Amino acid sequence: MSKILKPGEKIDDFAVPDQSGTTRRLSELLGNGPVVLFFYPKAMTSGCTAEGCHFRDMAAEFEEAGAQRVGISMDDTDKQKDFAAQNEFDYPLLSDTDGTVADQFGVRRRLKLGPLSVKRVTFVIGTDRTLLHSIHSETNMTNHADEALKVILNQGD
C-alpha cells in the first residue's frame, strides 16, 4: 500500500469517468481553479451522504473562492449517478472502480473480510497540480469542506 501524498508533492494527471460517464481529467478540472478532491468510502452511506451534502451546501463559498469540488470513490458510475441525483449534488462524482486514483493518492484500503474501499481524505490541489493540503478524518464529516475552504481562502497569504 502506498503512502498518502504530502503537501508540496506534484500530482500526476489522471482520467476517470464521472457519474454521467464523461471522462474527467484532473488537468481539465484545474483549468477552472484549484480542485478540492474528496475521497469517500461508499456512496449512499450515512457518513458519505453527510459529507457530500456539506460540500453541496457550501457551493457559494467554494464558487466565490474559485475552487472546484469533486467527489471520488470506488463506486461505479451508476451508483454515483444515483447518489448525485438523490442528494442533488452540483459537482462531479468520479468513479475510480479499479482504485488507480486511490492508489496514486495512497488512500486505498481493504477492510478485513470486506470489499475494497478508500480512506476518507480530502486533498486541496493547486492549479499547477501541487498538493496544497490534505484533511484526514473518518468521523468528522463537515470538517473536510470547512478545512478545505480555509486552505483555499488562505492561499494568497
Side-chain angles (χ1 to χ4, degrees):
M1 202 170 280
S2 54
K3 292 186 178 188
I4 293 179
L5 292 178
K6 302 280 186 228
E9 290 187 69
K10 275 280 201 226
I11 297 169
D12 291 334
D13 201 10
F14 61 80
V16 291
D18 67 12
Q19 70 268 31
S20 67
T22 302
T23 299
R24 300 289 192 120
R25 298 189 76 77
L26 176 62
S27 55
E28 291 168 359
L29 291 165
L30 288 167
N32 297 319
V35 167
V36 176
L37 183 68
F38 66 99
F39 283 86
Y40 55 93
K42 191 120 181 91
M44 310 292 230
T45 59
S46 60
C48 296
T49 300
E51 180 182 21
C53 288
H54 192 61
F55 271 104
R56 177 201 64 205
D57 295 345
M58 292 182 66
E61 291 91 335
F62 279 102
E63 185 175 340
E64 188 175 314
Q68 322 308 304
R69 298 155 295 138
V70 180
I72 184 168
S73 73
M74 292 177 68
D75 294 298
D76 64 31
T77 53
D78 289 339
K79 187 145 188 188
Q80 299 287 43
K81 185 177 183 176
D82 291 345
F83 190 40
Q86 185 175 35
N87 295 287
E88 300 179 356
F89 293 149
D90 61 338
Y91 51 83
L93 296 181
L94 305 182
S95 183
D96 180 32
T97 54
D98 66 0
T100 301
V101 180
D103 287 341
Q104 177 182 335
F105 282 79
V107 298
R108 189 169 174 174
R109 70 170 161 210
R110 180 186 293 276
L111 302 174
K112 285 186 178 183
L113 303 175
L116 289 173
S117 180
V118 296
K119 298 174 185 172
R120 187 181 314 280
V121 182
T122 297
F123 296 91
V124 180
I125 306 166
T127 55
D128 63 353
R129 291 200 336 248
T130 297
L131 179 60
L132 302 175
H133 190 72
S134 60
I135 298 108
H136 309 251
S137 178
E138 294 289 336
T139 57
N140 189 341
M141 307 316 166
T142 60
N143 188 49
H144 291 262
D146 295 345
E147 288 297 315
L149 184 61
K150 284 179 195 171
V151 170
I152 296 292
L153 293 174
N154 293 325
Q155 239 182 309
D157 295 348

